[in-house]
Amino acid sequence: MIDLHSHSIFSDGALIPSELARRAEHKGLTAIGITDHGDFSNIDFIIPRVLGVAETLNRVMQIHVIPGIEITHVPPDLYAEIVTKSRELGAKIVIAHGETIAEPVAPGTNYAAIKAGVDVLAHPGLISEECMMAAREQGILIEISARKGHCLTNGHVAGMAKDLGAGMVINTDAHAPGDLIDSNMARRVVHGAGLGEEDFVEMQKNAARFLPTDYFGRQV
Ligand SMILES: [Zn+2]
Ligand SMILES: [Zn+2]
């Protein structure tokens, strides 16, 4: 089970990255993305530190830590700029905090994030068909969320992604130890969104693209 989206104390999560990684490993996860909330004030602080701890932990742990960032409440007009900066700083995954109905995310954020070429559009709320098609065209993954509030539109998001052929992933957006889930619970969330077992398998394959590959391009 791969979970690409979680938070540590580098934003509003409860755990330092090492404990988050260990607790995820104990849950049976094979990889976890640590993707704290970032804007122009803090990405230069967060990304190098999470990158550093991920490189160190990945030398010895079973679980693979994917160091990333979740661009959060950055105005749509500034999205391209912050995504470029995040990649320059070394983020291995760039997630956009999409237009969840649980928060007043600026309208236009979903579209700006897709145009800016993020890797994953998290909790995109009542995403439009135009955005979903643009995401599919650019190979941007659409998140089904296990998080309270954000999960309220999973049915809409899953149905439209499936109809229009966009790739999906299942993430926890964990902020505390109790938010982490195992693969059985992840399956239940996916099924609860109206999807099937084959979709869960596909979502895990999609998530695996953020794992390192060997000389031959095989996942290691
Ligand atoms: Zn948060
Ligand atoms: Zn998040």
CSV table of all heavy atoms in Angstrom, one decimal, residues 56 59 72 85 119 129 160 164 166 193:
chain,number,residue,atom,x,y,z
A,56,THR,N,18.1,9.8,4.2
A,56,THR,CA,18.8,9.0,5.3
A,56,THR,C,17.9,7.8,5.7
A,56,THR,O,18.5,6.7,5.8
A,56,THR,CB,19.0,10.0,6.5
A,56,THR,OG1,19.7,11.1,6.0
A,56,THR,CG2,19.8,9.3,7.6
A,59,ARG,N,17.9,4.7,3.4
A,59,ARG,CA,19.1,3.8,3.4
A,59,ARG,C,18.8,2.6,4.2
A,59,ARG,O,19.5,1.5,4.0
A,59,ARG,CB,20.3,4.6,3.9
A,59,ARG,CG,20.8,5.7,3.1
A,59,ARG,CD,22.3,6.0,3.2
A,59,ARG,NE,22.7,6.1,4.6
A,59,ARG,CZ,22.9,7.3,5.2
A,59,ARG,NH1,22.8,8.5,4.5
A,59,ARG,NH2,23.3,7.4,6.5
A,72,THR,N,-0.4,24.8,-0.9
A,72,THR,CA,-1.7,25.0,-0.2
A,72,THR,C,-2.1,26.5,-0.2
A,72,THR,O,-1.4,27.3,0.3
A,72,THR,CB,-1.5,24.5,1.2
A,72,THR,OG1,-1.1,23.1,1.2
A,72,THR,CG2,-2.8,24.5,2.0
A,85,LYS,N,9.5,26.4,-8.4
A,85,LYS,CA,10.4,26.5,-7.3
A,85,LYS,C,10.5,25.2,-6.5
A,85,LYS,O,11.5,24.8,-6.0
A,85,LYS,CB,9.9,27.6,-6.4
A,85,LYS,CG,10.3,29.0,-6.9
A,85,LYS,CD,10.3,30.0,-5.7
A,85,LYS,CE,11.0,31.3,-6.3
A,85,LYS,NZ,10.5,32.5,-5.8
A,119,ASP,N,1.9,16.9,-9.7
A,119,ASP,CA,1.8,15.5,-9.9
A,119,ASP,C,0.4,14.9,-9.5
A,119,ASP,O,-0.1,14.0,-10.2
A,119,ASP,CB,2.9,14.8,-9.1
A,119,ASP,CG,4.3,15.2,-9.5
A,119,ASP,OD1,4.6,15.0,-10.7
A,119,ASP,OD2,5.0,15.7,-8.6
A,129,GLU,N,-15.8,19.0,-15.5
A,129,GLU,CA,-15.4,18.1,-16.6
A,129,GLU,C,-14.2,18.7,-17.3
A,129,GLU,O,-13.3,17.9,-17.7
A,129,GLU,CB,-16.5,17.9,-17.6
A,129,GLU,CG,-17.6,17.0,-17.1
A,129,GLU,CD,-18.5,16.5,-18.2
A,129,GLU,OE1,-18.2,16.8,-19.4
A,129,GLU,OE2,-19.5,15.9,-17.9
A,160,MET,N,-16.5,10.9,-12.1
A,160,MET,CA,-16.1,11.7,-13.3
A,160,MET,C,-14.7,11.2,-13.8
A,160,MET,O,-14.5,11.1,-15.0
A,160,MET,CB,-16.1,13.1,-12.9
A,160,MET,CG,-15.8,14.0,-14.1
A,160,MET,SD,-15.7,15.8,-13.7
A,160,MET,CE,-17.4,16.2,-13.5
A,164,LEU,N,-14.2,9.8,-17.6
A,164,LEU,CA,-13.3,10.6,-18.5
A,164,LEU,C,-11.9,10.0,-18.6
A,164,LEU,O,-11.1,10.5,-19.4
A,164,LEU,CB,-13.3,12.0,-18.1
A,164,LEU,CG,-14.6,12.8,-18.1
A,164,LEU,CD1,-14.4,14.2,-17.6
A,164,LEU,CD2,-15.2,12.8,-19.5
A,166,ALA,N,-9.4,9.6,-16.4
A,166,ALA,CA,-8.3,10.2,-15.6
A,166,ALA,C,-7.8,9.2,-14.6
A,166,ALA,O,-8.5,8.4,-14.0
A,166,ALA,CB,-8.7,11.5,-14.9
A,193,ALA,N,-16.4,4.9,-2.7
A,193,ALA,CA,-16.5,6.0,-3.7
A,193,ALA,C,-17.2,5.4,-5.0
A,193,ALA,O,-17.2,6.1,-6.0
A,193,ALA,CB,-15.1,6.5,-4.0
